[in-house]
Amino acid sequence: MKLKSTRLGELDIDEKQVIDFPGGIPGFEDERRFAIIPLGDEAVFFYMHSLADPDICLMLAVPFVFFPDYEVELPEEELETLGVEGEDGDHLAVFVVLTVPEDFKKTTANLLGPVVINTATRTGIQFVPAASRYTVRHPIFGDAQALTDRAIARQGL
Amino acid sequence: MLILTRKANESIIIGDNIRVTVIEIQGDKVRLGIDAPRELSVHRQEIYEAIKEANRRAVLDGRGLEELLRQVNLEAGKKGGD
């Protein structure tokens, strides 16, 4: 299917990439469907693009690449929204929203409110915790060298 | 705005099925207990607002992103070519 994007032009996406967000996400409560589109083969970065609004495109990253100790604990009601039954969290994928400024080295990740997707039911939420030790702005690159190292490390995978 | 005075252990009911109870008052802090149906999410306003602001700021405007991707691909490509 086709997806219109102000930023990226017309994209050809697979229906399997479309995720339902029953309550939207904070700030975009009316956007109920987003396409999650991987960038490149290594799939560390993803676009999260609204299906309804061509202007709304966020960038996601797999947090564990940049923050190996990152943890998310979801309460039961969120798991229910995601359609996770019992202990079966196998299909859950965790992403964080990046803010990419003009100087990309200052890119930050929102670790406070992760995006969690059940890939089996293709349902997603942006989790708003009751309390957290994380903030909405964690720099993902310590310095230029760290960036190089990470890129190299990923290439080795 | 409706303003009510409540003491510790007293509650207010909102609609049929939301109950907010004052659990404890200590100095300038109030602990609240909230009973609400599961489908209603209850958030601390400041956390919800922080995520909302971050999302709005995060909507891509392009230039930094291209640089970021170029850099990551470049570095990965460099290593791959060794």
Side-chain angles (χ1 to χ4, degrees):
Chain A
M1 59 193 282
K2 301 276 186 208
L3 171 67
K4 278 209 171 84
S5 170
T6 310
R7 192 53 55 193
L8 309 168
E10 197 175 69
L11 298 174
D12 215 347
I13 56 163
D14 193 317
E15 264 175 57
K16 286 185 191 135
Q17 295 175 319
V18 177
I19 308 293
D20 285 319
F21 285 74
I25 60 171
F28 302 106
E29 286 82 357
D30 294 335
E31 304 304 320
R32 303 297 169 92
R33 291 167 84 213
F34 287 89
I36 306 293
I37 308 160
L39 277 115
D41 298 333
E42 299 180 26
V44 173
F45 299 111
F46 297 78
Y47 291 123
M48 176 171 169
H49 204 300
S50 164
L51 255 64
D53 189 334
D55 286 335
I56 301 176
C57 181
L58 303 173
M59 172 98 126
L60 305 181
V62 175
F64 312 107
V65 175
F66 302 100
F67 308 97
D69 300 328
Y70 183 58
E71 283 178 342
V72 180
E73 201 173 314
L74 293 176
E76 209 174 298
E77 57 268 30
E78 304 287 359
L79 293 173
E80 247 170 57
T81 305
L82 288 166
V84 175
E85 287 176 21
E87 298 291 300
D88 178 26
D90 289 356
H91 299 292
L92 291 185
V94 177
F95 304 94
V96 289
V97 181
L98 300 184
T99 300
V100 186
E102 214 165 295
D103 178 0
F104 76 91
K105 286 180 187 141
K106 293 183 178 151
T107 296
T108 57
N110 173 0
L111 300 191
L112 180 65
V115 170
V116 184
I117 290 169
N118 183 344
T119 55
T121 59
R122 297 214 291 275
T123 307
I125 57 163
Q126 186 170 23
F127 176 47
V128 180
S132 175
R133 60 194 149 111
Y134 301 116
T135 75
V136 294
R137 284 188 204 225
H138 293 260
I140 65 168
F141 303 127
D143 52 48
Q145 188 54 48
L147 169 63
T148 308
D149 291 347
R150 280 196 194 91
I152 288 168
R154 270 208 312 286
Q155 186 67 13
L157 287 177
Chain B
M1 185 191 289
L2 171 65
I3 299 172
L4 300 167
T5 303
R6 299 276 72 190
K7 297 176 182 165
N9 297 317
E10 291 182 343
S11 301
I12 61 166
I13 303 281
I14 302 169
D16 291 333
N17 46 19
I18 301 170
R19 184 172 62 206
V20 181
T21 306
V22 178
I23 306 286
E24 190 185 15
I25 306 168
Q26 244 183 10
D28 61 353
K29 283 188 183 160
V30 181
R31 275 163 60 84
L32 300 173
I34 298 151
D35 291 309
R38 285 220 157 149
E39 63 272 18
L40 276 182
S41 40
V42 178
H43 305 299
R44 290 190 201 196
Q45 186 180 357
E46 66 272 23
I47 292 185
Y48 192 87
E49 290 294 326
I51 292 173
K52 185 167 154 176
E53 274 309 302
N55 280 345
R56 294 209 167 140
R57 225 176 27 239
V59 169
L60 292 179
D61 61 8
R63 293 181 60 186
L65 172 68
E66 283 166 27
E67 278 302 307
L68 170 69
L69 295 177
R70 192 174 307 140
Q71 183 71 16
V72 169
N73 288 335
L74 197 75
E75 295 298 343
K78 221 189 262 174
K79 176 66 180 174
D82 285 347

